Amino acid sequence: MSALSQTQLTYLTELRHDLHRQPEISGEEVHTAARIVRELKKLGADRIWDGLGGAGVAAEFRGAEAGPTVLFRCELDGLPITEVSDLPYKSEVAGKGHLCGHDGHMCMVLGLGMALAQRPARGRVILLFQPAEETGFGAQAVIDDPRWPEIRPDYAFAYHNVPGHALGEIGLRNGPANCASRGMQINFEGKSSHAAAPEDGISPAPAIAQLIGALPELSSGTISDADFGLSTLTHVNIGEAAFGISPGTGELRVTLRSMTDDRMAFLTEGAEKLLDAARGPLQTDVTWHDVFHAVTNSNKATATARTAAETAGAITREMDHPMRWSEDFGRFGQDGAEACLLFLGAGETQPQLHNPDYDFPDSLLTIGPAVFLEITRQILGKAAG
């Protein structure tokens, strides 16, 4: 199945371990991006863009004739989580780790770059190394970059590895593939008073208590239902850690999640109405964080990915429902590309994403580039010779 030589696979494995040792979190991926630029130059990319939407990097590999643009995207960022492992290449950066597999995703896309030493017959391939996926900011920041029109693809593809799925299996799904999500932060401002005379102040406690009960009731259905919605309380803080003060301030955070963007609009409106009903005399301020739109795979791109995976000899599986976790890859489909996110099994006993002991399986470095190369050939053809 491999599109690469054993020497190339050994190099990619060592590179992944290097990236794993030095993770950078969202918005800080400067050194990771610089390393990627050096690798792309060694691969002989026809053009390189850097500083896209922050630290993003893109590289162009041109075919001999005019044709469509096919983009393959991966992520640069790690997580603000301490890695717990005995790996010889464990994170050397305190409090940060590549615990979602983005180090492996980068190396799979670089593996495709190695295979593109033989250019496609037509069109061009863009390899995109995107910043700030974990915060939901990066994809839109890249699209908002003034150089994006030079890159904008007709097709866009990406992987995410999935622990709990059979190692190397390619999961595919038409339509909804990842849920939309967003974090709602509510800050309350009232007036503190002596705990012996709470009536002299304005406490946020009753409003927060009401919302703690009401906000989870916005949830509906299961991930298999079109009206799926999930409202998860994630943080509450009221006043000072004291016994003599009736609180005057508070904060509540809730994460909203849905299968579609339309359902997210419904959840957002519902949460705001509950706040209106609960706030009373309090001053409130609402901010939204980690905003992810739903990922919706196009039928055309998914069919291409399915044919490519089967041609490359991969095992494929049709997924019954989307992933509950979110991904900002959906922005590329909303920007006009025929887009598909593929789910690459990381092993049934693999620690879950964002677990402190998670590690990307190196064996996937064989499968990932092979399927991406076959997608390239399905759309752009294979160069003669």
Side-chain angles (χ1 to χ4, degrees), residues 17 21 85-92:
H17 295 176
R21 289 186 185 96
S85 79
D86 296 322
L87 295 171
Y89 52 86
K90 70 177 291 185
S91 173
E92 297 173 356

Side-chain angles (χ1 to χ4, degrees), residues 2 28 31 116 123 138-139 184 195 220 293 323 325 339 370 374 379 384:
S2 180
E28 299 179 1
H31 297 293
L116 290 173
M184 183 184 190
S220 61
H293 288 219
M323 295 293 179
W325 42 267
E374 190 55 43
I379 300 172

Side-chain angles (χ1 to χ4, degrees), residues 227-269:
D227 67 345
F228 168 71
L230 183 63
S231 177
T232 306
L233 295 168
T234 61
H235 176 77
V236 176
N237 184 56
I238 304 175
E240 304 296 329
F243 294 103
I245 305 170
S246 180
T249 60
E251 179 184 320
L252 183 149
R253 298 189 185 196
V254 61
T255 298
L256 306 177
R257 195 173 305 275
S258 63
M259 186 181 297
T260 65
D261 291 331
D262 286 346
R263 189 65 179 173
M264 178 55 67
F266 174 83
L267 289 176
T268 299
E269 182 180 2

Side-chain angles (χ1 to χ4, degrees), residues 5 24 56 101 120 132 146 158 214 230 241 260 263 311 344 364-365 372:
S5 69
E24 295 177 299
L230 183 63
T260 65
R263 189 65 179 173
T311 302
L344 183 55
L364 298 182
L365 298 177
F372 272 175

